[in-house]
């Protein structure tokens, strides 16, 4: 796994060991950033961050900041190690559950330009109601939410659907405010 573009293009990323995470592949990341366009100066929120590949890619492409939320402490340590290795700044790694983090961000009136959501494929149905309730409150005007799910799942959120595309076993769905 490597950074696809930006200031850290070609740098390899460490990934958490085991089956706790499923890193988004290079091809899918490249497609996502092609769809969403430039991210220079963006405030990014990477939920269910896993390896952190999506948020790290955003930082490499010029995002101003990224908050990584990952409940698995081992995976959170890998994200922190990748940030240090790549010397990327403007990032915070929160080892906690996504719903609690979203409630805190909402209560602090924090808004993001780009929210990346990649829950375990078999858990989307469990998380969808809470995400539908909380995500709109942290998305800034003109912001985008990118959801990665299994190809069979078509996520629904109370936001405007921009596009949905399949890449192998993954589906990428983009919503906007």
């Amino acid at each position: 796994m490597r950074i696809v573009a930006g200031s850290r293009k070609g740098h390899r990323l460490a990934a958490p060991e085991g089956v706790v995470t499923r890193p988004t592949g290079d091809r899918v990341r490249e497609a996502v950033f092609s769809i969403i366009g430039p991210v220079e100066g963006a405030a990014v929120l990477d939920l269910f961050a896993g390896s952190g590949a999506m948020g790290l890619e955003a930082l490499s492409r010029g995002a101003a900041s990224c908050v990584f939320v990952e409940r698995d402490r081992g995976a959170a340590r890998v994200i922190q190690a990748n940030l240090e290795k790549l010397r990327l700044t403007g990032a915070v790694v929160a080892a906690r559950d996504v719903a609690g983090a979203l409630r805190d961000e909402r209560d602090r009136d924090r808004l993001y330009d780009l929210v990346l959501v990649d829950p375990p494929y078999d858990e989307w149905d469990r998380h969808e109601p809470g995400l539908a309730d909380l995500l709109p409150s942290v998305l800034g005007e003109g912001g985008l939410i990118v959801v990665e799910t299994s190809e069979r799942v078509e996520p629904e959120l109370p936001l405007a659907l921009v596009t949905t595309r399949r890449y192998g076993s993954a589906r990428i769905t983009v919503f906007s405010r």
Side-chain angles (χ1 to χ4, degrees):
M1 199 169 48
R2 63 183 175 82
I3 297 289
V4 176
S7 66
R8 304 304 190 273
K9 179 180 180 177
H11 283 75
R12 293 204 174 277
L13 299 175
E17 293 183 15
V19 294
V20 175
T21 63
R22 172 198 27 77
T24 301
D26 297 354
R27 181 176 151 246
V28 175
R29 270 185 286 120
E30 191 167 13
V32 166
F33 284 93
S34 176
I35 292 167
I36 64 177
V39 295
E40 287 90 3
V44 179
L45 179 60
D46 188 351
L47 303 173
F48 305 96
S51 68
M54 292 291 284
L56 293 164
E57 187 75 39
L59 288 169
S60 176
R61 291 171 181 249
S65 64
C66 184
V67 174
F68 296 87
V69 179
E70 172 55 52
R71 71 178 173 213
D72 182 81
R73 293 193 184 285
R77 282 191 296 274
V78 170
I79 296 168
Q80 188 63 49
N82 278 324
L83 286 164
E84 292 167 10
K85 174 186 169 190
L86 298 173
R87 293 188 214 135
L88 290 168
T89 59
V92 173
V93 180
R96 59 179 305 193
D97 72 289
V98 166
L102 281 171
R103 281 191 290 277
D104 287 350
E105 296 300 286
R106 177 196 62 199
D107 293 348
R108 292 182 180 119
D109 293 325
R110 290 203 178 125
L111 297 177
Y112 293 90
D113 304 302
L114 176 61
V115 181
L116 306 165
V117 184
D118 186 9
Y121 283 180
D122 61 346
E123 293 183 19
W124 174 256
D125 289 342
R126 182 168 68 93
H127 292 290
E128 188 174 36
L131 291 171
D133 182 48
L134 294 166
L135 283 172
S137 65
V138 300
L139 187 64
E141 199 59 42
L144 296 174
I145 294 178
V146 178
V147 179
E148 181 178 344
T149 59
S150 161
E151 65 175 312
R152 296 178 306 277
V153 174
E154 294 190 26
E156 293 183 21
L157 294 174
L159 296 161
L161 175 65
V162 174
T163 189
T164 184
R165 300 183 187 177
R166 287 179 36 198
Y167 299 93
S169 63
R171 177 181 299 276
I172 299 297
T173 307
V174 180
F175 298 92
S176 69
R177 178 165 275 314

